[in-house]
Amino acid sequence: MKNINLKIADITQEDVCAVVNAANSSLLGGGGVDGAIHRAGGEQILSECKKLRASLHPDGLPTGEAVATTAGNMRAKYVIHTVGPVYSSCKNRCEELLANCYINSLKAASELKCHSISFPAISTGIYGYPKGEAAKVAYKSVKSFLETNQSMEVNFVFSSKESYDIFADAVKEL
Ligand code: AR6
């Protein structure tokens, strides 16, 4: 689809308005993409996350929601932090919660007047969401958002050819 690109790259190097972080509800950093983004962006990201946590989400950011901070030293302007579902415990809400991550991140990007955004494959690492299933949810969510927001350019960024191929094959079936 026009406005959707798939690529193999390190998301921390993306030259876009907003990169999305597959965070956890603490917003205090972690492993995977989260660790890479905090390392690349520097301590300004953590400092803004702590402020957001204290003012808006003292109990943590709920699964499926999204908040934005600076991207610090990265080329992007903003990081949009979203919390994907943990596959072993999301039960019959997995798809809905993962879709919310994409939609709420896109809404946050729009509110920031961004026209370009890069997503990692949310929940498909440490949180264990099967990559093919997650791909279908991700693609459908983004596609539906783009139907009414044609000025957004969306990149799906994968850290390996294997992940890229799984995504590309899964969305062909849609
Ligand atoms: N660029 C693009 N994709 C990447 C990169 C990168 N630099 N690094 C990893 N991936 P994960 P989750 C891929 O585990 O499953 C953290 O500790 C990776 O191969 O980062 O949502 C948080 O704090 C995988 O396909 O996120 C949470 O506690 C995908 O990004 C928890 O992990 C997502 O993997 C979130 O787990």
Side-chain angles (χ1 to χ4, degrees):
M1 186 189 174
K2 192 173 144 273
N3 292 3
I4 299 183
N5 312 298
L6 311 189
K7 62 199 280 196
I8 301 167
D10 175 359
I11 200 163
T12 66
Q13 304 300 312
E14 287 290 279
D15 190 4
V16 286
C17 185
V19 296
V20 175
N21 182 19
N24 60 62
S25 67
S26 79
L27 294 175
L28 301 179
V33 178
D34 197 8
I37 285 177
H38 278 274
R39 276 195 299 280
E43 60 193 30
Q44 225 187 323
I45 298 179
L46 183 59
S47 137
E48 286 191 21
C49 280
K50 283 181 177 163
K51 281 186 202 146
L52 282 171
R53 168 120 200 216
S55 60
L56 298 175
H57 301 286
D59 299 325
L61 184 66
T63 304
E65 293 194 15
V67 289
T69 65
T70 173
N73 303 325
M74 289 189 288
R75 292 162 89 182
K77 265 171 96 170
Y78 304 104
V79 175
I80 295 169
H81 307 262
T82 188
V83 183
V86 176
Y87 195 69
S88 62
S89 58
C90 54
K91 303 200 176 92
N92 58 349
R93 293 193 66 211
C94 297
E95 188 168 335
E96 173 198 345
L97 291 168
L98 186 60
N100 288 347
C101 289
Y102 285 92
I103 297 294
N104 288 327
S105 296
L106 287 161
K107 284 184 183 161
S110 281
E111 279 161 20
L112 293 163
K113 311 265 180 275
C114 282
H115 296 290
S116 57
I117 184 168
S118 290
F119 282 100
I122 299 165
S123 281
T124 66
I126 294 164
Y127 282 179
Y129 209 118
K131 291 183 179 180
E133 280 181 43
K136 289 180 188 167
V137 177
Y139 194 84
K140 280 194 282 186
S141 309
V142 168
K143 199 169 158 241
S144 77
F145 180 88
L146 290 178
E147 276 159 17
T148 48
N149 296 270
Q150 278 117 5
S151 66
M152 189 74 81
E153 190 81 23
V154 179
N155 303 297
F156 287 110
V157 180
F158 305 96
S159 52
S160 69
K161 180 167 186 314
E162 190 206 350
S163 298
Y164 176 104
D165 287 343
I166 293 171
F167 189 102
D169 288 345
V171 303
K172 263 186 228 154
E173 291 170 19
L174 289 174

